[in-house]
Amino acid sequence: MDIEATPSSPESTPSILNRLNSSVAKSRIGKYFKLTQRNSTFTTELRAGTATFLTMAYILAVNASILSDSGGTCSVSDCVSLCSDPNISAANCTGPNQLISPDESCKFDPVNPGYADCLERTRRDLIVATAASSLIGCVIMGAFANLPLALAPGMGTNAYFAYTVVGFHGSGTVPYRTALAAVFIEGLIFLFLSVAGLRSKLAKLVPKPVRISSSAGIGLFLAFIGFQGNQGIGLIGYSSSTLVTLGGCPVSSRVSLAPVMTYGNGTVDLIPGGTVSGAILCLNDRVMSPTLWLGVVGFVIIAYCLVKNVKGAMIYGIVFVTAVSWFRNTKVTVFPHTPAGDSAFDYFKKVVDVHKIETTAGALSFKGIGTGRFWEAMITFLYVDILDTTGTLYSIARFAGFVDDDNGEFEGQYFAFMSDASAIVVGSLLGTSPVTAFIESSTGVREGGRTGITAITVAGYFFLSLFFTPLLASIPAWAVGPPLILVGALMMKAVVEIEWTEMKQAIPAFLTLILMPLTYSIAYGLIAGIGSYIILNCWDWGSVIFKKYKGGPNNNLVA
């Protein structure tokens, strides 16, 4: 080490660290966390926790951005009346002009200023909710399970929550408050299954090809979101003939779409129940958006760091793109000279602010509990958590060398299952989607983390993030897109475990994989995979049952 080479005190720092590690190992804390038994040290655990946080800290901005796309608790009542002449303020709207009362269209492009302000407040709430739920989950995992696993709202389930269940700006079938109630109930069921020891058994009931391909399908889903304009770099745009095509045009070249009908007298009106989309159609100047190319630079930075195994790769790309976007009077600024941009910039200048959750905490509503959509969402959340969380726990525990090869169990397993289930319940009360063990925890394990001190260190970093909400709330979509795409790439490695030469395995796996992004729904992908698996295997199962039933007496006589 360079420190050892300094003439003044060549061994002072190593000696201090050695004495610190030795003291902690002999203390009650060291004995509780079993530092000696697991061949680890206090400083190694701190370093592992830091590495884990750097690789997963992107979730603070990404999760808040995705969930705020659902609209949160915002509604038409948050929209404000506007003057019929857009150049005149509502206060000065007199004479031939008149105030226009807001309707459902105020939630879509062009978004009403009042609704936009509500969305920004919701995003700030969700940053705090993400940090707080992650903090609580990591503390429970570290203190009780004594495992180096970090928890946070899961990628994939947050997208399903925002874009499929609640829908963009509340355009889905289940309101935000009711969706939180579904997560809450799912968390309680998940907790019961954990207490009863049924989680691993339920996960094994799902067909193997569907179980394996679901994680890769979620990865494609996330990448698809990262390529779009609302929550990504904007490379993919709408096409009236092929549904999707190359996009990436500047804001000035984009227009909104709306389902309309033409009456007999030639007048055109919005179809009842129809809504105006965001600016998704490029008229010209494709791939000429400055923010697209800034996002591409961020993608290259993250990808190169991943290739070189640089810790915190996601953070470096997000930080670079965000820092460039913070400069005003540029074509890539996140603070344009508009009322919304000025308001966001004023909040950004606070830098440090202890933001109190105003709208999302305790926002649960059980009014829609009797609908089929509610139970569909709840069961999907439960299924994904059973597969994803349980699979992640086992894979990281195996990577750390904790799993017993004879029975497939690992030390701290019971409390680990209890930890993430409890965190799901807490997260729903704060307003966020299901909390899960993060696969990025493997980074900390690779750094030597073997005890719960690693998880508690991550919790400490999440606590510090609670004080920097203004900065985290100012991260633009084109900085969030690259991590989404590359997280999708990382999740694709599961496909190598699928037996592609066996059609009974390959077809259900492929349907699960492809339909998740194309239907914009994790649930539909799972339904297609499980359904096709049952159809392709029902003849064989029937034959086996028939042969057993028909040949049973003869077999008994022979015996």
Side-chain angles (χ1 to χ4, degrees):
M1 295 176 62
D2 293 337
I3 297 177
E4 297 178 342
T6 55
S8 57
S9 55
E11 298 181 355
S12 59
T13 301
S15 298
I16 292 173
L17 295 180
N18 289 337
R19 287 199 297 269
L20 174 64
N21 289 328
S22 178
S23 299
V24 174
K26 295 176 182 178
S27 67
R28 289 184 178 181
I29 294 176
K31 292 177 180 178
Y32 177 81
F33 287 105
K34 302 180 179 179
L35 284 171
T36 303
Q37 293 93 317
R38 296 188 181 180
N39 296 319
S40 185
T41 64
F42 180 65
T43 53
T44 298
E45 297 295 316
L46 295 181
R47 185 176 69 248
T50 302
T52 298
F53 178 78
L54 286 175
T55 57
M56 66 180 291
Y58 69 89
I59 194 63
L60 290 167
V62 173
N63 187 61
S65 296
I66 289 177
L67 293 183
S68 62
D69 272 352
S70 71
T73 58
C74 300
S75 64
V76 177
S77 61
D78 294 293
C79 299
V80 296
S81 298
L82 299 176
C83 187
S84 56
D85 186 343
N87 297 317
I88 300 176
S89 64
N92 299 322
C93 191
T94 57
N97 301 305
Q98 57 181 349
L99 285 175
I100 301 176
S101 299
D103 55 21
E104 281 292 327
S105 63
C106 75
K107 300 189 297 182
F108 305 98
D109 196 63
V111 178
N112 184 281
Y115 192 80
D117 290 341
C118 181
L119 288 177
E120 186 58 32
R121 292 193 300 271
T122 299
R123 192 159 79 99
R124 296 169 188 172
D125 285 352
L126 288 168
I127 290 175
V128 177
T130 301
S133 59
S134 303
L135 187 160
I136 294 170
C138 290
V139 168
I140 296 174
M141 179 67 76
F144 294 99
N146 193 23
L147 291 172
L149 305 178
L151 289 85
M155 297 295 290
T157 50
N158 56 4
Y160 173 70
F161 181 100
Y163 301 117
T164 302
V165 179
V166 183
F168 182 72
H169 289 183
S171 59
T173 56
V174 179
Y176 172 79
R177 296 177 184 272
T178 306
L180 286 180
V183 175
F184 177 75
I185 294 176
E186 177 261 335
L188 292 178
I189 296 174
F190 204 37
L191 187 60
F192 169 76
L193 294 176
S194 301
V195 173
L198 298 175
R199 277 178 57 172
S200 58
K201 295 179 181 178
L202 286 175
K204 293 176 182 177
L205 292 178
V206 179
K208 182 180 178 181
V210 178
R211 189 167 63 244
I212 295 173
S213 61
S214 60
S215 61
I218 292 172
L220 288 177
F221 188 16
L222 293 175
F224 189 48
I225 294 170
F227 277 120
Q228 296 180 56
N230 288 330
Q231 191 49 56
I233 61 178
L235 182 63
I236 293 177
Y238 171 77
S239 169
S240 58
S241 57
T242 61
L243 292 182
V244 291
T245 186
L246 194 66
C249 57
V251 176
S252 58
S253 300
R254 283 181 278 176
V255 295
S256 302
L257 298 175
V260 298
M261 59 187 301
T262 304
Y263 293 98
N265 59 3
T267 59
V268 178
D269 194 11
L270 192 68
I271 293 177
T275 57
V276 180
S277 73
I280 59 175
L281 179 63
C282 280
L283 297 178
N284 46 55
D285 296 329
R286 298 183 188 275
V287 203
M288 297 298 290
S289 171
T291 57
L292 164 64
W293 289 106
L294 181 58
V296 169
V297 173
F299 176 89
V300 172
I301 291 173
I302 297 173
Y304 186 79
C305 289
L306 289 174
V307 169
K308 296 299 182 180
N309 291 319
V310 176
K311 305 298 184 295
M314 302 288 183
I315 295 299
Y316 296 140
I318 293 175
V319 168
F320 174 80
V321 175
T322 301
V324 174
S325 302
W326 280 348
F327 289 97
R328 300 198 84 177
N329 303 316
T330 67
K331 293 183 178 180
V332 295
T333 183
V334 73
F335 306 118
H337 290 285
T338 61
D342 293 338
S343 175
F345 187 65
D346 291 338
Y347 182 67
F348 164 75
K349 289 187 292 185
K350 291 183 179 181
V351 181
V352 177
D353 178 50
V354 181
H355 181 78
K356 178 183 177 182
I357 300 179
E358 299 174 354
T359 61
T360 62
L364 292 77
S365 173
F366 295 91
K367 291 182 179 179
I369 195 171
T371 63
R373 295 291 185 181
F374 176 91
W375 291 103
E376 176 189 336
M378 192 277 292
I379 292 172
T380 303
F381 284 136
L382 180 62
Y383 168 76
V384 172
D385 280 333
I386 288 174
L387 287 184
D388 188 41
T389 307
T390 306
T392 300
L393 285 172
Y394 274 112
S395 61
I396 298 177
R398 186 176 292 106
F399 181 64
F402 296 149
V403 177
D404 188 332
D405 293 331
D406 294 332
N407 56 25
E409 297 182 353
F410 58 91
E411 183 181 358
Q413 173 178 299
Y414 179 78
F415 285 107
F417 287 160
M418 295 283 287
S419 299
D420 56 19
S422 302
I424 290 173
V425 176
V426 173
S428 67
L429 295 174
L430 293 173
T432 186
S433 54
V435 177
T436 180
F438 255 54
I439 194 65
E440 283 84 352
S441 300
S442 59
T443 304
V445 173
R446 190 161 52 240
E447 285 291 321
R450 292 295 182 273
T451 75
I453 296 177
T454 295
I456 293 176
T457 302
V458 177
Y461 283 114
F462 276 121
F463 176 75
L464 292 176
S465 69
L466 292 172
F467 299 95
F468 296 97
T469 306
L471 300 183
L472 296 171
S474 302
I475 297 176
W478 49 91
V480 173
L484 286 177
I485 298 167
L486 288 165
V487 166
L490 294 173
M491 295 178 74
M492 286 300 295
K493 62 182 180 182
V495 298
V496 300
E497 301 177 32
I498 300 171
E499 298 179 23
W500 292 107
T501 56
E502 175 58 51
M503 287 296 101
K504 289 181 181 179
Q505 306 285 326
I507 293 173
F510 178 74
L511 290 176
T512 304
L513 191 75
I514 197 67
L515 287 180
M516 284 186 182
L518 294 186
T519 62
Y520 227 69
S521 171
I522 296 174
Y524 294 150
L526 295 175
I527 291 170
I530 295 173
S532 61
Y533 184 86
I534 293 173
I535 292 172
L536 293 175
N537 287 274
C538 64
W539 179 265
D540 292 341
W541 295 338
S543 299
V544 171
I545 294 173
F546 179 75
K547 288 179 180 178
K548 279 188 176 182
Y549 176 77
K550 185 178 180 180
N554 294 331
N555 292 337
N556 291 335
L557 289 173
V558 173

